[in-house]
Amino acid sequence: MREQMLKLDPMKQGVVEDGKGPHLIHLLLISATAVDENDLDSAIENLCELYQTVSLTGDAVQRVAAYFADGLSARLLNWKSPFYDLLMKDPTPDAEFAAFTEMYKASPYYQFAHFTANQAIIDAFEEEELHNNRTLHVIDFNISYGFQWPSLIQSLSEKANDGNRISLRITGYSRNMEELVETQSRLMSFAKGCPNLAFEFHGMLMGSKPMTSLRKKKNETVAVNLMFYLQTFTHSSQISETMKSVYSLRPSIVTLVEHEGSRNTRSFISKFMESLHYFAAMFDSLDDCLSPDSTERLIIERNHLGKEIKRIMKNEKGGESHQRYEKLETWKRRMESEGLLASKLSSRCVIQAKLLLKIRSQYCSPFMFEGGSGFRVVERDEGRALSLGWQDRYLITASAWKCA
């Protein structure tokens, strides 16, 4: 049935019939329940029906349902099965990078996260400018491809002048040495074109050295960047240990950006439905700026969002949650328990985020924007946090913290 779905996919392109969306969600729920209860006959019957309706090129509900159907199907298989590998095989590193790049260009999702954190870092740097020797050290616990930092490099370069240079040092942690080398090359190359800025990059593999071994230069402003990092831990003790290391560095600011959700329940069905609603919003939001026949959208969904859906489903099968999606209030309690206090974000953070959405809406074709964009920026916790939402759901939340 899945093979038939793939063969017929181009013929299903468009919008699901009226009333079919809720039916698809219902089918996913009863399929997930059957899989969770190991009711093989019911699970197969409902998944076969799902594969007759879902599509990788249909509307948002059809598309997201296709990836969740694959995840449920894989849970019925032994991991040694060739069919399991067919369903769950990760994209190549090059394909992942291409998908992330397309996502970065198409959606305000990552740009909102990066620009908001960067502005908070610049604000902290400027507060200490009289005694920090115009030196900034950013410690990025999850540097990924390094896309966050060119905008910061450029902003600091524009702020500097011939007689008053600025020094920027970035220490970036990654799980992959090849990724670190490529990130360093990109950032060093970009920084060469930015005048009056002295730039250093130090790449480290995660777990290679304790955070406490990082050398702090006299009077420099230290910023710790936690970008989608704490959510990767499966146990609260790991988060606590990390935050103790962060606190020991006595940074001037800690920027925290995480997905917004509540997946940390014991029930598989509750986690499944929370993940489904979250990714349904993500898939729906891609319709905002990418046309129905967009090749870029298929790349993003297959090799970035779809990969994450399947990874979540795979880890749930082993009894672990791959991503810790929690609400702002939960992260706030956790950070405060580690001796950190929320800092109010500046008006520049808010203005910049709203301007980003305005620019994105003007960039997209009018026919993709009937009724206006569904993205919105929301100030929360009395201005101490900023969220990017899609319609009535928060997607990611950015906040800044200081040591008590």
Side-chain angles (χ1 to χ4, degrees):
M1 294 308 302
R2 182 179 187 274
E3 288 301 311
Q4 286 185 32
M5 181 270 289
L6 294 175
K7 289 176 182 176
L8 295 173
D9 223 25
M11 299 172 62
K12 294 182 183 177
Q13 191 165 316
V15 178
V16 81
E17 297 175 29
D18 289 344
K20 289 289 187 180
H23 176 64
L24 264 180
I25 301 299
H26 176 69
L27 262 181
L28 277 169
L29 177 58
I30 59 177
S31 298
T33 302
V35 170
D36 187 44
E37 295 175 351
N38 206 27
D39 184 347
L40 195 60
D41 291 339
S42 176
I44 291 174
E45 179 183 348
N46 288 301
L47 284 168
C48 283
E49 187 176 348
L50 264 174
Y51 279 128
Q52 294 178 60
T53 313
V54 300
S55 166
L56 298 180
T57 57
D59 79 342
V61 179
Q62 287 176 301
R63 300 194 316 267
V64 75
Y67 290 100
F68 275 95
D70 280 352
L72 289 172
S73 296
R75 285 174 65 91
L76 298 176
L77 298 168
N78 186 297
W79 66 271
K80 294 181 180 179
S81 165
F83 298 106
Y84 180 89
D85 193 49
L86 176 70
L87 291 170
M88 303 299 281
K89 187 177 181 180
D90 281 338
T92 65
D94 286 346
E96 284 192 52
F97 178 77
F100 184 87
T101 303
E102 294 296 345
M103 178 78 173
Y104 204 90
K105 291 189 295 185
S107 169
Y109 186 84
Y110 287 114
Q111 291 183 39
F112 165 85
H114 292 169
F115 294 170
T116 303
N118 286 356
Q119 185 59 58
I121 291 171
I122 291 172
D123 292 339
F125 173 78
E126 290 178 347
E127 284 178 14
E128 300 181 354
E129 209 162 358
L130 292 177
H131 53 80
N132 65 8
N133 297 324
R134 292 175 71 80
T135 301
L136 173 62
H137 181 193
V138 176
I139 303 167
D140 189 347
F141 277 40
N142 185 23
I143 197 163
S144 188
Y145 303 113
F147 280 28
Q148 177 173 352
W149 303 119
S151 66
L152 179 70
I153 292 170
Q154 185 171 352
S155 295
L156 291 175
S157 174
E158 292 171 354
K159 181 179 174 58
N161 53 58
D162 288 335
N164 216 357
R165 288 165 61 85
I166 291 176
S167 296
L168 171 62
R169 178 164 56 125
I170 295 178
T171 299
Y173 285 85
S174 175
R175 293 179 177 83
N176 185 302
M177 180 55 75
E178 183 179 354
E179 189 178 278
L180 268 179
V181 171
E182 291 175 355
T183 297
Q184 178 173 0
S185 176
R186 281 193 296 271
L187 294 179
M188 294 297 290
S189 176
F190 183 86
K192 283 180 181 177
C194 296
N196 303 316
L197 182 76
F199 178 69
E200 295 178 44
F201 179 85
H202 300 283
M204 293 188 180
L205 287 175
M206 291 180 183
S208 59
K209 290 183 180 179
M211 307 299 175
T212 51
S213 69
L214 291 171
R215 180 173 51 89
K216 182 176 180 178
K217 294 181 179 178
K218 187 178 180 180
N219 296 334
E220 70 179 358
T221 294
V222 175
V224 169
N225 189 61
L226 302 173
M227 183 69 57
F228 306 120
Y229 178 65
L230 296 184
Q231 67 185 34
T232 62
F233 293 125
T234 55
H235 300 292
S236 297
S237 60
Q238 296 171 299
I239 296 177
S240 181
E241 183 179 337
T242 298
M243 293 315 300
K244 282 181 172 59
S245 296
V246 168
Y247 193 90
S248 70
L249 297 169
R250 302 300 296 178
S252 302
I253 188 170
V254 177
T255 50
L256 174 70
V257 182
E258 296 290 356
H259 297 99
E260 180 94 14
S262 56
R263 290 193 59 249
N264 295 305
T265 64
R266 292 186 177 275
S267 164
F268 166 72
I269 297 302
S270 296
K271 291 179 181 180
F272 178 85
M273 291 307 294
E274 171 64 23
S275 298
L276 175 60
H277 288 144
Y278 183 89
F279 282 100
M282 290 293 293
F283 275 60
D284 194 30
S285 73
L286 284 179
D287 290 344
D288 218 42
C289 276
L290 292 172
S291 62
D293 59 350
S294 166
T295 303
E296 292 80 9
R297 189 178 68 182
L298 183 62
I299 291 171
I300 292 168
E301 292 176 351
R302 176 182 292 157
N303 295 330
H304 187 62
L305 299 178
K307 179 203 74 172
E308 193 54 46
I309 290 170
K310 292 180 180 182
R311 188 173 293 175
I312 287 171
M313 298 295 292
K314 180 165 63 176
N315 282 275
E316 294 291 5
K317 184 175 182 178
E320 289 187 348
S321 174
H322 177 71
Q323 297 282 28
R324 177 181 289 272
Y325 291 9
E326 293 185 346
K327 294 185 178 296
L328 168 63
E329 295 77 13
T330 304
W331 285 118
K332 183 178 179 180
R333 288 194 299 270
R334 198 181 296 279
M335 297 293 278
E336 289 175 345
S337 71
E338 300 298 338
L340 293 159
L341 298 176
S343 178
K344 188 169 183 177
L345 296 170
S346 70
S347 60
R348 290 192 292 182
C349 287
V350 181
I351 292 169
Q352 181 177 247
K354 291 181 177 179
L355 181 62
L356 171 65
L357 294 195
K358 186 175 182 179
I359 292 172
R360 296 300 307 175
S361 68
Q362 292 174 349
Y363 170 79
C364 297
S365 301
F367 72 87
M368 300 176 202
F369 253 91
E370 296 179 11
S373 173
F375 283 110
R376 60 197 179 97
V377 171
V378 183
E379 292 183 75
R380 299 169 67 192
D381 192 24
E382 300 179 334
R384 297 183 186 89
L386 199 61
S387 292
L388 177 68
W390 172 255
Q391 296 179 353
D392 61 349
R393 183 180 184 98
Y394 297 129
L395 296 177
I396 48 176
T397 299
S399 54
W401 303 81
K402 295 187 177 182
C403 295

